[in-house]
Amino acid sequence: HLLAMRSMLSQVAGIVGQSPGHPGGMGMTLTVGSLFSGIGGLDLGLERAGMQVLWQCEIEPYCQEILRNRFLGVKVYGDIRELRGEDLPKTDVLCGGFPCQDLSTANRDRKGLDGERSGLFFEYARLIGELRPRYVIMENVSGLIANGLDRVLGTLASLGYDAEWQTIQANWFGLPHIRKRIFIVAYPNGLGCSIWPEIQRGSASEIVQLGFSSEADRIIDDLGNSRVDVSKHLREGYGLPTGLDVIESRIKALGNAV
């Protein structure tokens, strides 16, 4: 999934990199601090777009193991509530997908940003105020639009940041499911950016590059539902421990990924 999603994240990162006044326009590499890093989906996309991840923050031990294995030499912090801006290297970009459990339509008892998990957005906002990055990239489920986007934008505005957003579907970039996600790109007021051009959508035929099937056009049905058996991919270690004891952790990590 990460190999396909890098196309989407690389495009988002490219949009940021092409914005007026950004440091990368002078031949400089944009640096990234990553919050709620998970298994590094956002981070991978940004790296593939030419950015450099300086540090990550992820509380789950299994995901921390993956990050240390895949992002060699990058400092991994634990609980975002214990992070202080003064202790972190300044970066051009601060990215992260704050927890979606209280926003997802799969949760019938949604509490939105007042929920214990999705309410960690306000820790994210606190660090934006302390670090003052040039760009902020946020990702979450599309349920945020009706259940908290106004508060997210209002909070960013109170910190002196303007923002633009777009809902993007994973199957536009070759993945075998819809998986709608909202991406928000914020920047300091007065920067004068216009972030989102028309999104370049991929095709189902690109799925063959992931090794799922030689008949990619049959992988997604008319409703966008997956016909792929991903169990074999969960059993593959890709350099990490395998076995029944880690399958649950892997499913959880993938479910929370971009």
Side-chain angles (χ1 to χ4, degrees):
H1 281 62
L2 295 181
L3 291 176
M5 290 302 286
R6 79 185 187 196
S7 171
M8 179 175 70
L9 271 301
S10 294
Q11 186 174 169
V12 173
I15 292 167
V16 170
Q18 294 167 13
S19 300
H22 77 95
M26 298 178 288
M28 299 172 59
T29 299
L30 290 171
T31 56
V32 178
S34 171
L35 300 173
F36 310 105
S37 302
I39 54 176
L42 274 170
D43 310 41
L44 178 64
L46 298 178
E47 279 202 343
R48 295 295 173 87
M51 301 188 189
Q52 180 184 5
V53 177
L54 297 187
W55 53 265
Q56 298 164 315
C57 177
E58 171 55 47
I59 197 169
E60 293 291 340
Y62 178 78
C63 293
Q64 290 178 352
E65 181 181 0
I66 292 178
L67 293 174
R68 292 190 177 100
N69 184 281
R70 301 307 188 200
F71 296 86
L72 300 179
V74 175
K75 174 70 173 178
V76 179
Y77 298 92
D79 193 337
I80 187 175
R81 293 169 293 188
E82 298 177 358
L83 284 186
R84 296 295 177 266
E86 61 189 18
D87 300 324
L88 297 169
K90 291 292 183 70
T91 59
D92 300 305
V93 178
L94 190 61
C95 76
F98 56 93
C100 68
Q101 290 90 338
D102 298 302
L103 300 166
S104 174
T105 55
N107 182 357
R108 294 185 179 180
D109 187 30
R110 297 187 297 275
K111 296 182 179 179
L113 297 182
D114 293 321
E116 180 179 357
R117 292 167 293 186
S118 296
L120 289 173
F121 158 75
F122 295 104
E123 293 292 334
Y124 193 160
R126 173 180 60 81
L127 287 171
I128 293 173
E130 294 176 5
L131 292 169
R132 308 300 304 175
R134 191 169 184 86
Y135 297 102
V136 176
I137 301 177
M138 295 183 174
E139 173 270 342
N140 216 293
V141 296
S142 59
L144 174 66
I145 297 174
N147 196 17
L149 180 59
D150 54 343
R151 295 177 67 185
V152 169
L153 298 177
T155 301
L156 290 171
S158 71
L159 293 169
Y161 281 77
D162 198 356
E164 302 177 28
W165 60 95
Q166 182 75 270
T167 301
I168 301 174
Q169 296 182 186
N171 61 329
W172 294 351
F173 300 88
L175 279 172
H177 56 180
I178 296 177
R179 202 171 177 87
K180 293 181 180 179
R181 292 294 181 267
I182 182 173
F183 281 83
I184 303 169
V185 178
Y187 41 82
N189 292 339
L191 190 58
C193 293
S194 181
I195 297 294
W196 297 103
E198 181 179 355
I199 296 296
Q200 299 299 311
R201 303 183 183 186
S203 64
S205 62
E206 295 172 359
I207 300 174
V208 298
Q209 300 176 15
L210 303 180
F212 286 131
S213 171
S214 60
E215 299 182 51
D217 292 335
R218 300 183 184 180
I219 288 181
I220 306 175
D221 64 22
D222 292 339
L223 298 177
N225 298 315
S226 174
R227 294 175 177 172
V228 177
D229 178 10
V230 298
S231 61
K232 65 177 181 178
H233 297 282
L234 293 174
R235 293 193 294 269
E236 290 290 337
Y238 304 107
L240 294 168
T242 59
L244 293 177
D245 57 330
V246 298
I247 291 296
E248 182 178 355
S249 294
R250 296 191 71 182
I251 293 174
K252 181 179 179 181
L254 288 170
N256 288 332
V258 174

